[in-house]
Amino acid sequence: MTQTRRDVGEVLWFGIEGPELSAARAAALNRGEFGGVILFKRNLQIETIGSGVEAQEVIDLDALAALIAAVHRAAPSDSPALVSVDQEGGVVQRVRAPATRWPPMLTLDRLAPPDDVAVAEQVGRALGRELGALGFDVDFAPILDVHTNEANPIIGDRALGRAADTVARRALALARGLEAGGVLGCGKHFPGHGDTHTDSHLELPRIDHPWSRLEAVELAPFAAAAKADVPMVMTAHVVFAALDDQVPATLSPKAITGVLRQRLGYRGVIVSDDLDMKAIAANYGIAEAAVLAIRAGCDVLLCCRDAGHQDEATAAGARRREVERGTGPARRGGQRVRALKARAARARAAAAPFDRRDIGSLAHRQLADRLAGG
């Protein structure tokens, strides 16, 4: 495989179909056709213990660790696949019992400064220890969206606060804790999903705030994340009229390259939110969206569920003339992803040896109780 083709593969991160890695997916990984994997509930083996209000879903940790190890084994030795997950706390945490169940991160409001920041960093480290013990490399957390709209149907108590400076302080602490624990974090969703009235999983939201408001509120945590060298930032499928009133941020060079890269000075990896979401798939189609997102400045394209969409994204990326020349945005994205993989390896090596006994440990459950106000 040429370096250009490998760069195309590095920028594509896919979901897989079930609790085991199929032979076809393993072969595609080995060929370098995609550079990372994101796991969801469908990839877990789950048993329900008890019944009625006492029922609890318990995942098979051995099976999950085996799946992650299979992904790592399948990838080329010179370009290891990164395995990622959404493990925020509250409603968005894929790995459940016997792992620690974390309350929503907005419960940090229970704590006064500087305790809120100290606990956020401790939570990040605990998350990193538990995910790292299973083999994960990346956690798509923390949320950098500012919770300014109580009617927001998608962010809500996933946010770390109601003011920009509060979100920035807590989110950066959580990201530091994650990396110290051995797993890389990802701030999301640029330029800010906290004041939308609709859910981008279902339709294309729009925010009409003027630039002065965006700079003071929505963008401020991302500016802090750029300064702190957070490893990854995820985009939002939201139209921000003050930045680009034509296309959502994920597909906008004005937003991604003009604001995040140039104005805020962000140097890490920029990853799209899932291109399968209706805000993108229903309005643009995957093939077009994949090319537009790369041109806008995204380094990684997430395509989480639909195998047909993944094929479209692969074909779209591979056939573009700018990619085939090896001088276009996908080449730069491939270089950044390889640097991210090296950073993930350094974080894992620098962390204390992982111990499966950390998963759901008493210390972590006590920390979760403190966060919840117990």
Side-chain angles (χ1 to χ4, degrees):
M1 175 181 287
T2 66
Q3 186 59 60
T4 299
R5 288 282 181 173
R6 178 157 289 181
D7 287 335
V8 172
E10 294 280 25
V11 307
L12 301 173
W13 290 22
F14 291 161
I16 57 178
E17 292 80 2
E20 296 182 356
L21 183 67
S22 69
R25 286 295 192 185
L29 270 170
N30 186 257
R31 291 192 297 268
E33 292 181 5
F34 54 108
V37 168
I38 180 170
L39 299 185
F40 291 90
K41 185 176 180 179
R42 67 178 182 270
N43 304 119
L44 309 177
Q45 295 187 23
I46 300 173
E47 180 182 2
T48 300
I49 306 296
S51 61
V53 295
E54 301 296 327
Q56 182 180 36
E57 291 185 338
V58 177
I59 67 170
D60 185 331
L61 295 180
D62 291 332
L64 176 56
L67 171 60
I68 295 169
V71 171
H72 286 145
R73 284 196 305 272
S77 59
D78 62 342
S79 183
L82 295 182
V83 182
S84 60
V85 69
D86 291 302
Q87 192 78 353
E88 300 172 10
V91 296
V92 181
Q93 49 188 323
R94 312 304 181 198
V95 184
R96 305 291 183 99
T100 304
R101 289 290 301 272
W102 300 98
M105 290 299 108
L106 194 60
T107 54
L108 284 163
D109 275 353
R110 296 176 184 273
L111 303 172
D115 286 349
D116 59 340
V117 170
V119 170
E121 186 161 353
Q122 292 167 22
V123 169
R125 186 182 291 268
L127 278 167
R129 300 306 299 163
E130 296 200 17
L131 294 176
L134 291 166
F136 283 105
D137 305 292
V138 172
D139 183 10
F140 287 123
I143 293 280
L144 290 172
D145 307 306
V146 184
H147 183 42
T148 57
N149 179 1
E150 293 294 336
N152 188 316
I154 187 60
I155 301 301
D157 64 7
R158 296 167 63 193
L160 279 86
R162 293 177 167 85
D165 60 340
T166 301
V167 169
R169 290 186 300 104
R170 295 171 178 173
L172 297 187
L174 195 146
R176 288 194 302 271
L178 273 170
E179 190 158 2
V183 169
L184 300 186
C186 174
K188 57 188 186 184
H189 309 76
F190 177 84
H193 211 317
D195 195 25
T196 58
H197 295 273
T198 54
D199 179 354
S200 52
H201 290 84
L202 305 175
E203 56 187 303
L204 180 59
R206 179 184 178 94
I207 289 179
D208 290 315
H209 295 316
W211 169 259
S212 57
R213 152 66 191 246
L214 293 181
E215 189 173 37
V217 179
E218 277 78 11
L219 292 176
F222 293 95
K227 187 175 181 179
D229 193 28
V230 169
M232 302 180 74
V233 165
M234 181 182 288
T235 67
H237 303 329
V238 177
V239 174
F240 291 81
L243 305 184
D244 189 331
D245 65 358
Q246 299 299 310
V247 295
T250 299
L251 310 183
S252 170
K254 295 177 183 177
I256 303 303
T257 298
V259 176
L260 185 53
R261 285 282 183 222
Q262 296 175 354
R263 190 178 186 96
L264 301 186
Y266 183 63
R267 300 182 301 276
V269 168
I270 300 173
V271 54
S272 79
D273 206 345
D274 182 11
L275 297 182
D276 280 336
M277 290 161 61
K278 289 185 179 180
I280 296 296
N283 290 285
Y284 297 92
I286 300 301
E288 178 184 4
V291 172
L292 291 175
I294 290 173
R295 287 179 173 172
C298 290
D299 304 307
V300 168
L301 307 182
L302 280 185
C303 204
C304 297
R305 298 184 180 278
D306 190 306
H309 287 172
Q310 293 170 358
D311 290 341
E312 289 181 54
T314 301
R319 69 169 176 258
R320 298 306 300 183
R321 182 173 61 183
E322 63 198 270
V323 175
E324 293 301 326
R325 283 202 308 263
T327 59
R331 180 72 177 269
R332 294 193 294 273
Q335 293 168 347
R336 289 195 186 102
V337 173
R338 286 192 292 278
L340 182 79
K341 291 179 175 183
R343 181 168 175 173
R346 291 194 301 271
R348 177 172 286 270
F354 289 111
D355 189 335
R356 287 276 292 274
R357 290 174 297 184
D358 284 337
I359 301 174
S361 68
L362 176 60
H364 290 178
R365 286 185 280 114
Q366 289 173 333
L367 180 60
D369 286 344
R370 183 183 179 193
L371 184 59

